[in-house]
Amino acid sequence: MANEVLSGLFEELLQSKPIFINREVLRPSYTPDYLPHRKEQINSLATILVSALRGETPSNILIYGKTGTGKTAVVKYVGKELEETGEKKGTPCSVLYINCEVIDTQYRVLAHLARHFDKEVPHTGWPTDQVYSEFKNAIDARAQTIVIILDEIDKLVKKGGDDTLYNLSRINADLRNTRVSVVGISNDLKFTEFLDPRVRSSLGEEEVIFPPYDANQLGDILEQRARTAFKPDALEPSVIPLCAAFAAQEHGDARRALDLLRVSGELAERAQSNLVKEEHVRAAQNKIESDRVVEVVRTLPTQSKLILYAMVSLYKKGAKDLTTGEVYNLYKRLCRQIDMDILTQRRVTDIISELDMLGIVNAVVVSKGRYGRTKEISVSVPLEQTKATLLEDYRLKTLSMTPVSQTRLYA
DNA sequence: ATTCCACAGGAAGCGACGGCCC
DNA sequence: GGGCCGTCGCTTCCTGTGGAAT
């Protein structure tokens, strides 16, 4: 009996023809074999790295470009080619990729590198220089060229300073058989300002710039992927140009464009349409942004949630351009109300800045003359939806019982 | 020209945690 | 078990500052 119901359920869904053939090629993790509009960058990289195959040390490289301009894909592609050619020619090359957003301290970078050469290194416990020599010995065991790719290298510098880069750029002096070169990828053009001049000059021997894609180029990229991703004629003709146009507004982010196309397809599929239409793209645009906000808010630490809650509450009461002091006052009272530890204002300042960087609020430092200097904060996400998401947290739930309007604003 | 508000944000360091070593 | 080490979230203490008010 239950079977009948279920089979009926699925039959209905199966009747609408699938529009995807392979949606994986639209995901950010997919690396295509062909990278449109990046010939120049691929050639520059290859020209620099080819010295590895001649037994010389390739120059260190810095790569600049915003998110979704194909930096990572290009570097990985060139790296793969280099390894394969090295294999054939008997000049072994290893290309190691590290994302510094995840692996963001010197210890972790070195540990990660050492582990790649089958050394056992604990997550913590060893002195950093021990990990360094472990790595050094591992790679110097046989002659080879090692290319270390540090993606989001600016994150590494911001958190751990330039010690890691200093040590890596000097490592060749300690090696007998092996040569190491470093490829840094950054989306911040100015991050070298904070570097030790020696590190800056050694790391920036060569620079490669990845300009953002324009709408036409994005269109080409989407076109190419859509051929393998969708059934023929599954897209309304205006769909790809529209996705490209939306993404071009977001500083030419190809990842965003592909996401948009994929989600559009999924929405069309869910609506049991056998054609992806313009309306699906517009819906997808909204869905992506709203999903992102909900996800970010949901996974915030409790203290950040409470601070955000305070800001949303003030905003809902009609307050505009909140100041740090206002937010902090309300936050303190909310803390007492639900019996949470009260953080210092110093810490709250930092948390507000973090929320700013996540794009949930907008915080600008302004001076009000005699009335001091503060951050002017505005909430840049939908109020009701955000409040609801915040109240899902069991520690904040009780706040829904007593609306802020019933508590005094200034204690 | 000075004053002075209401903070911003840097520096140092603390304590807890998880994990190493011997 | 005791001595270290790296990391995280946080506090304490601090110096710096743009511009309306005086």
Side-chain angles (χ1 to χ4, degrees), chain A residues 103-113 115 121-129 131 164:
Chain A
I103 300 171
D104 57 358
T105 65
Q106 181 173 18
Y107 184 94
R108 297 218 261 251
V109 168
L110 291 172
H112 189 89
L113 292 171
R115 276 187 214 116
V121 180
H123 293 291
T124 169
W126 284 8
T128 304
D129 41 346
V131 186
T164 318

Side-chain angles (χ1 to χ4, degrees), chain A residues 375-394:
Chain A
K375 278 196 172 94
E376 230 166 44
I377 309 157
S378 57
V379 180
S380 47
V381 291
L383 297 181
E384 288 302 335
Q385 188 198 51
T386 307
K387 189 178 170 189
T389 311
L390 286 169
L391 289 174
E392 282 171 19
D393 191 306
Y394 73 98

Side-chain angles (χ1 to χ4, degrees), chain A residues 314 317 319-333 336 368 404-411:
Chain A
L314 288 169
K317 285 191 58 190
K320 261 233 152 192
D321 296 332
L322 319 172
T323 66
T324 307
E326 284 164 12
V327 173
Y328 188 62
N329 278 330
L330 179 54
Y331 158 79
K332 270 195 293 192
R333 266 182 315 103
R336 285 188 213 107
K368 299 189 171 181
V404 178
S405 52
Q406 287 178 20
T407 57
R408 281 181 9 259
L409 255 188
Y410 296 96

Side-chain angles (χ1 to χ4, degrees), chain A residues 333-346:
Chain A
R333 266 182 315 103
L334 294 175
C335 277
R336 285 188 213 107
Q337 202 175 321
I338 63 173
D339 198 26
M340 266 180 34
D341 291 341
I342 301 177
L343 299 181
T344 55
Q345 184 158 336
R346 179 70 189 81

Side-chain angles (χ1 to χ4, degrees), chain A residues 65-363:
Chain A
K66 300 215 168 169
T67 44
T69 48
K71 292 164 297 183
T72 309
V74 164
V75 173
K76 281 190 167 172
Y77 168 77
V78 175
K80 205 176 91 196
E81 292 283 315
L82 181 69
E83 279 182 332
E84 279 169 10
T85 317
E87 186 88 22
K88 273 185 234 155
K89 304 260 179 200
T91 46
C93 299
S94 306
V95 180
L96 308 185
Y97 174 86
I98 291 184
N99 186 335
C100 303
E101 175 142 47
V102 192
I103 300 171
D104 57 358
T105 65
Q106 181 173 18
Y107 184 94
R108 297 218 261 251
V109 168
L110 291 172
H112 189 89
L113 292 171
R115 276 187 214 116
H116 186 268
F117 292 94
D118 301 323
K119 296 281 181 181
E120 306 262 338
V121 180
H123 293 291
T124 169
W126 284 8
T128 304
D129 41 346
Q130 186 176 346
V131 186
Y132 176 81
S133 41
E134 197 77 14
F135 166 62
K136 201 182 65 188
N137 295 336
I139 58 173
D140 211 19
R142 68 183 184 119
Q144 56 184 326
T145 305
I146 294 184
V147 179
I148 302 173
I149 300 167
L150 297 173
D151 205 347
E152 318 229 14
I153 194 170
D154 40 332
K155 300 273 164 49
L156 180 63
V157 175
K158 239 170 241 163
K159 279 211 68 182
D162 51 12
D163 289 0
T164 318
L165 300 180
Y166 184 72
N167 289 332
L168 280 181
S169 63
R170 275 187 354 152
I171 196 171
N172 281 318
D174 286 348
L175 295 173
R176 299 173 155 276
N177 307 313
T178 294
R179 296 170 302 273
V180 170
S181 82
V182 177
V183 178
I185 305 181
S186 163
N187 42 35
D188 180 2
L189 267 164
K190 294 179 299 181
F191 97 99
T192 50
E193 282 174 17
F194 312 110
L195 292 178
D196 183 313
R198 283 170 296 182
V199 177
R200 194 191 312 168
S201 61
S202 120
L203 193 64
E205 285 172 328
E206 302 278 355
E207 297 191 349
V208 180
I209 310 279
F210 282 63
Y213 298 109
D214 64 29
N216 286 331
Q217 296 172 331
L218 287 171
D220 288 346
I221 296 172
L222 292 175
E223 200 77 57
Q224 175 221 348
R225 301 268 188 112
R227 277 200 287 274
T228 25
F230 291 100
K231 286 202 142 180
D233 302 324
L235 301 181
E236 231 176 30
S238 58
V239 161
I240 284 182
L242 190 59
C243 287
F246 273 137
Q249 281 168 24
E250 309 246 345
H251 56 254
D253 186 341
R255 190 179 313 162
R256 181 59 183 258
L258 291 164
D259 264 347
L260 202 51
L261 189 56
R262 177 174 54 83
V263 174
S264 304
E266 283 167 359
L267 288 179
E269 194 177 50
R270 213 166 298 167
Q272 303 195 24
S273 158
N274 45 20
L275 195 62
V276 184
K277 298 180 189 153
E278 227 179 286
E279 61 191 77
H280 296 128
V281 179
R282 295 185 195 282
Q285 172 85 338
N286 291 334
K287 182 177 189 304
I288 288 174
E289 178 56 19
S290 139
D291 282 1
R292 186 197 139 250
V293 169
V294 168
E295 188 51 29
V296 169
V297 171
R298 202 201 314 274
T299 53
L300 244 30
T302 314
Q303 291 285 6
S304 307
K305 281 183 183 166
L306 196 56
I307 291 163
L308 179 58
Y309 187 86
M311 295 193 281
V312 169
S313 302
L314 288 169
Y315 226 70
K316 272 184 51 154
K317 285 191 58 190
K320 261 233 152 192
D321 296 332
L322 319 172
T323 66
T324 307
E326 284 164 12
V327 173
Y328 188 62
N329 278 330
L330 179 54
Y331 158 79
K332 270 195 293 192
R333 266 182 315 103
L334 294 175
C335 277
R336 285 188 213 107
Q337 202 175 321
I338 63 173
D339 198 26
M340 266 180 34
D341 291 341
I342 301 177
L343 299 181
T344 55
Q345 184 158 336
R346 179 70 189 81
R347 178 69 188 134
V348 171
T349 306
D350 279 346
I351 291 178
I352 293 175
S353 300
E354 283 165 24
L355 293 172
D356 181 27
M357 286 206 295
L358 290 169
I360 298 175
V361 303
N362 234 304

